[in-house]
Amino acid sequence: MKSEGFHHGNLRAALIEAARAVMEETSSSDLSLRDLARRVGVSPMAAYRHFADKEALLRAVADGGFGELVLGMEAALAADATPLARVLDMGRAYVAFARAHPAMFDLMFAAPVAGLEASPDNGTKAFGLLQGAVAACSPAGTPQGKVAAATIRLWSVVHGYSRLALAGRLVASSMTPAFLDEVIVPVIETLERP
Amino acid sequence: MKSEGFHHGNLRAALIEAARAVMEETSSSDLSLRDLARRVGVSPMAAYRHFADKEALLRAVADGGFGELVLGMEAALAADATPLARVLDMGRAYVAFARAHPAMFDLMFAAPVAGLEASPDNGTKAFGLLQGAVAACSPAGTPQGKVAAATIRLWSVVHGYSRLALAGRLVASSMTPAFLDEVIVPVIETLERP
DNA sequence: GAGGTAAGTATGCGGTGTAAACATGAAATC
DNA sequence: GATTTCATGTTTACACCGCATACTTACCTC
């Protein structure tokens, strides 16, 4: 075992966990550094030994969220036999994650992230998963551009649906699993078309 | 002409306009009541004579944004001959608005809006426009549920695409008008399918 | 043991949203 | 025309926030 820290013992992880907890409690993504410090039992300025500023902390929290999302998507990948079923279940998992963790989902896509291709995060990993699953649906020899458009088409649908649901723009009857399938499936069918 | 106010002269509208201006300047949707008051030349507490709290002001600003969005969508509606072309142009207008006014777009879908069907806003008006255009594409006798799903499918695509673009999750080559069409058109084609 | 250094603390500054009490001036009543 | 009313704007105050700066602590190395 490493030293695990002196005063507190891995404050960094504790802060991230506290942030996650607050967001689950309040269903809101705006949290306060001071509050996190209070919960962890540390002085208000302690967080700055581990994060450059508040945004850096939020970024770390968001990246953890993307990691969890990736897990859900990978589970969907492993659970199905056909490429189309895999893509469908990945879409369902995406929406399910958003609705289960609205504040986290909000945070993950909150600030425009810069220099992303320089240092890819778990968000790009999630995108890669989706892209692979979509490519597996496309007929052999499909041009790369088509696959890219299809990937973003599908991502846009599930992402947009999630956002609209979280924003309260969908009525209850539009948020059932069956309705979601009605929204997604025709888009998935466009994937294997010439 | 009505009285136009005593002390200031329609402070309410001035605050909303100031908010809009700040958001255009900073490309960010987090603004400060005190800053708005400062810009309008009024004391920090003056805004509370016209808005219950900050959120109420933001809601009013957002509703103005939806109004502008509706104008863009109506223009697209009027500019084309066929139902499919109308829907396509509405989608383009939606994305164009989001990219032209990122902060406003952010604000419009920021907080989950409650009791929406009780008092519809310009957001529901925008949705109604889209729904009508989609219905016009559907074969006669298409069940209502299909139309609803198709509407939300299309809305989800354009909304999700806009969000991903604003979040910096799309590479430059995925943000050209041609690429956007590649994303949207196949979804529009699902509208007139049985 | 003496230093060095990473981790946490104390203090303080300028900013925020908003509650409460007060001031002002246009308009309505007499 | 004087008086009352009431919407509008101001003042003051409070609790909170992110963060800069300077300090202290506790471990590790030599």
Side-chain angles (χ1 to χ4, degrees):
Chain A
M1 284 286 144
K2 287 284 290 298
S3 73
E4 280 293 334
F6 333 129
H7 294 70
H8 179 275
N10 210 349
L11 210 177
R12 186 190 157 95
L15 286 171
I16 293 179
E17 174 52 32
R20 182 186 291 259
V22 171
M23 290 169 64
E24 293 290 337
E25 284 176 26
T26 64
S27 294
S28 160
S29 62
D30 74 313
L31 24 82
S32 130
L33 280 190
R34 294 172 105 107
D35 182 45
L36 297 183
R38 222 173 289 133
R39 286 171 175 253
V40 171
V42 95
S43 90
M45 289 299 294
Y48 287 89
R49 292 290 148 188
H50 300 270
F51 301 97
D53 52 11
K54 183 180 183 178
E55 205 207 316
L57 166 52
L58 295 185
R59 284 287 219 79
V61 175
D63 202 58
F66 273 118
E68 202 178 327
L69 173 61
V70 163
L71 288 183
M73 291 172 71
E74 283 173 340
L77 254 183
D80 292 285
T82 76
L84 283 179
R86 279 197 266 267
V87 169
L88 175 57
D89 256 10
M90 280 184 69
R92 287 169 173 159
Y94 193 96
V95 174
F97 178 89
R99 302 199 52 196
H101 312 288
M104 178 66 86
F105 190 77
D106 230 56
L107 183 63
M108 284 157 57
F109 295 95
V113 48
L116 201 149
E117 48 249 26
S119 62
D121 60 349
N122 279 326
T124 46
K125 190 171 174 185
F127 174 73
L129 275 178
L130 193 61
Q131 177 133 24
V134 166
C137 291
S138 308
T142 305
Q144 169 59 22
K146 290 271 183 192
V147 174
T151 303
I152 292 183
R153 187 180 313 132
L154 188 65
W155 194 12
S156 295
V157 172
V158 293
H159 190 78
Y161 181 90
S162 302
R163 287 309 285 216
L164 292 176
L166 295 192
R169 288 283 161 189
L170 300 187
V171 295
S173 63
S174 303
M175 293 197 293
T176 66
F179 193 95
L180 171 61
D181 280 3
E182 264 197 273
V183 171
I184 296 184
V185 168
V187 177
I188 293 181
E189 286 170 354
T190 68
L191 301 189
E192 53 176 3
R193 240 183 285 279
Chain B
M1 283 288 143
K2 286 283 290 299
S3 73
E4 280 294 335
F6 337 124
H7 294 68
H8 173 94
N10 210 349
L11 210 180
R12 185 190 156 93
L15 286 171
I16 292 179
E17 174 51 33
R20 182 186 292 259
V22 170
M23 290 169 64
E24 293 290 338
E25 284 176 26
T26 65
S27 295
S28 160
S29 63
D30 75 311
L31 23 81
S32 132
L33 279 190
R34 295 173 104 107
D35 182 45
L36 297 183
R38 224 173 286 132
R39 285 170 177 253
V40 171
V42 95
S43 89
M45 290 298 294
Y48 287 88
R49 293 292 149 188
H50 300 270
F51 301 96
D53 53 10
K54 184 180 183 180
E55 205 207 316
L57 166 52
L58 296 185
R59 285 283 222 83
V61 175
D63 201 58
F66 274 118
E68 201 178 328
L69 173 60
V70 163
L71 288 182
M73 291 172 70
E74 283 172 339
L77 253 183
D80 292 284
T82 76
L84 283 178
R86 279 197 266 268
V87 168
L88 175 58
D89 256 11
M90 281 184 69
R92 287 169 172 159
Y94 193 97
V95 174
F97 178 88
R99 301 199 53 195
H101 311 287
M104 178 65 87
F105 190 77
D106 230 57
L107 183 63
M108 283 158 57
F109 296 95
V113 49
L116 201 150
E117 48 248 27
S119 62
D121 60 349
N122 279 326
T124 47
K125 191 171 174 184
F127 174 74
L129 275 179
L130 193 61
Q131 177 134 22
V134 166
C137 290
S138 306
T142 305
Q144 170 59 21
K146 290 270 182 192
V147 174
T151 303
I152 291 182
R153 187 180 313 133
L154 189 65
W155 195 10
S156 294
V157 172
V158 293
H159 189 78
Y161 181 90
S162 302
R163 275 284 186 189
L164 292 175
L166 296 192
R169 288 284 160 188
L170 300 187
V171 296
S173 63
S174 303
M175 294 197 293
T176 67
F179 193 96
L180 171 62
D181 281 3
E182 264 198 273
V183 171
I184 297 185
V185 168
V187 177
I188 293 182
E189 286 169 355
T190 68
L191 300 189
E192 54 176 2
R193 237 183 289 277

